[in-house]
Amino acid sequence: MNMLTDPELAADAAPLNRRAGPALLRVEHLSREFGGVLAIGDLSFTVAAGDIHSIIGPNGAGKTTLFNLVTGVYKPSGGRVLFDGADVSGQAPYRLAARGMSRTFQNLQIFFNMTALENVMVGRHLHLDTRLLPALFRFPSLKRRDSEARDRAAELMGAVGLSKYLDADAASMPYGALKRLEIARALAAEPKLLLLDEPAAGLNATESREIDEVIKTVAADGVTIVLVEHDMKMVMGISHRITALNHGRKLAEGTPAEVAANPEVVAAYLGAAP
Ligand SMILES: Nc1ncnc2c1ncn2[C@@H]1O[C@H](COP(=O)(O)OP(=O)(O)O)[C@@H](O)[C@H]1O
Ligand SMILES: [Mg+2]
């Protein structure tokens, strides 16, 4: 079933009469090409502080590339990224983390040789160059001294419903728990902006609803969220605003109800169906 055409979803949508906060993230005329192929083309949009702002679009639309541009993994071919009032285009990921940007990955990026708790503790150091992190955590003295970080990490694991995995080896945890572990680790950096790339991918309906709750709780705590997700029930239910992409360009933008009713958005999704 195409979720965009499900009339029940509009009823789920977040309230419309909400005053938008000031811009926390602003993308201006952003472009990126790979070998002459445009992955993101002249894309502009603004994420208001306090919002859950979703980016939707068929596979290959450029969503992950957009995350990689915003978080400094890729340099733009053109345009710029403004975060918290500063032009941060092309800054390295760890510098952006230090400014308050944190993310999760479409493909899990868990340290499988560490415990769950250690994975979250590492998140506190995301402002450091990530290549150094595994080495850093081999020093037992540092681990012991960091009891405050340990308490905070345990608290965050509780917040995402992972209390029973505190001492578990990451490698022994089920996939659904690892998706939540990534969110806890991203939160350990105390971000202003959290970018989530398909947090419900591969989860069953019950697990997806649990992720809904986690995201809503995080947003209620004042963290602005940019969400990439194919689960339209989730997107329509929790987003304040949605930007729809197709072939790297903006197709539509608005409230969930506006975007769900946009014929071009529906056509892009129906066109992408097998
Ligand atoms: N590192 C890369 N090298 C070459 N092409 C890439 C690279 N990253 C993304 N692309 C291309 O950019 C387009 C958008 O991909 P992606 O951002 O992963 O889309 P989405 O996340 O929306 O599915 C695709 O055509 C993809 O093949
Ligand atoms: Mg992607």
Side-chain angles (χ1 to χ4, degrees):
M1 179 183 59
N2 187 314
M3 286 298 197
L4 282 172
T5 56
D6 183 344
E8 278 182 27
L9 289 176
D12 267 353
L16 305 181
N17 53 354
R18 193 174 153 275
R19 191 193 293 263
L24 179 62
L25 177 72
R26 199 187 283 276
V27 166
E28 291 181 352
H29 303 291
L30 198 64
S31 299
R32 171 69 204 219
E33 49 182 286
F34 294 105
V37 179
L38 211 57
I40 288 290
D42 195 27
L43 179 65
S44 300
F45 67 94
T46 296
V47 176
D51 269 9
I52 299 174
H53 189 127
S54 290
I55 310 289
I56 63 169
N59 280 329
K63 305 178 299 295
T64 295
T65 301
L66 173 64
F67 270 25
N68 284 330
L69 289 167
V70 166
T71 59
V73 175
Y74 295 157
K75 299 221 186 305
S77 309
R80 49 183 207 156
V81 176
L82 296 128
F83 178 56
D84 209 10
D87 185 344
V88 298
S89 315
Q91 283 193 7
Y94 64 90
R95 291 190 62 188
L96 293 169
R99 284 181 177 273
M101 213 189 264
S102 202
R103 75 177 290 188
T104 63
F105 294 85
Q106 184 172 349
N107 305 309
L108 287 172
Q109 305 241 323
I110 297 287
F111 295 113
F112 284 108
N113 56 340
M114 294 182 184
T115 68
L117 192 74
E118 285 168 352
N119 266 276
V120 179
M121 290 173 71
V122 162
R124 205 175 189 216
H125 302 286
L126 287 182
H127 58 284
L128 301 176
D129 189 330
T130 44
R131 286 166 301 186
L132 302 176
L133 289 176
L136 186 71
F137 266 72
R138 255 178 246 129
F139 292 111
S141 58
L142 185 131
K143 282 197 215 170
R144 265 198 310 274
R145 251 188 293 140
D146 229 353
S147 71
E148 189 195 323
R150 187 171 290 269
D151 291 349
R152 176 67 181 144
E155 194 184 322
L156 287 170
M157 283 185 69
V160 300
L162 291 180
S163 292
K164 72 169 178 176
Y165 290 107
L166 284 189
D167 298 315
D169 287 327
S172 73
M173 291 168 66
Y175 176 78
L178 293 173
K179 293 292 275 184
R180 279 186 271 165
L181 186 63
E182 272 222 332
I183 296 176
R185 184 175 60 190
L187 289 173
E190 311 279 350
K192 293 177 190 150
L193 181 70
L194 175 62
L195 300 106
L196 300 168
D197 198 352
E198 303 203 17
L203 302 185
N204 65 35
T206 309
E207 291 169 328
S208 292
R209 300 291 77 79
E210 287 167 2
I211 294 278
D212 272 16
E213 291 308 314
V214 167
I215 295 172
K216 282 195 275 191
T217 305
V218 170
D221 279 349
V223 180
T224 305
I225 310 257
V226 182
L227 172 67
V228 164
E229 185 47 63
H230 285 295
D231 180 338
M232 281 302 131
K233 190 169 169 59
M234 174 181 292
V235 167
M236 293 297 159
I238 70 175
S239 306
H240 298 108
R241 205 159 178 81
I242 299 175
T243 301
L245 302 184
N246 198 22
H247 303 301
R249 295 181 183 275
K250 195 200 288 191
L251 195 61
E253 187 172 272
T255 62
E258 285 165 354
V259 169
N262 183 300
E264 284 191 82
V265 174
V266 175
Y269 269 86
L270 292 175

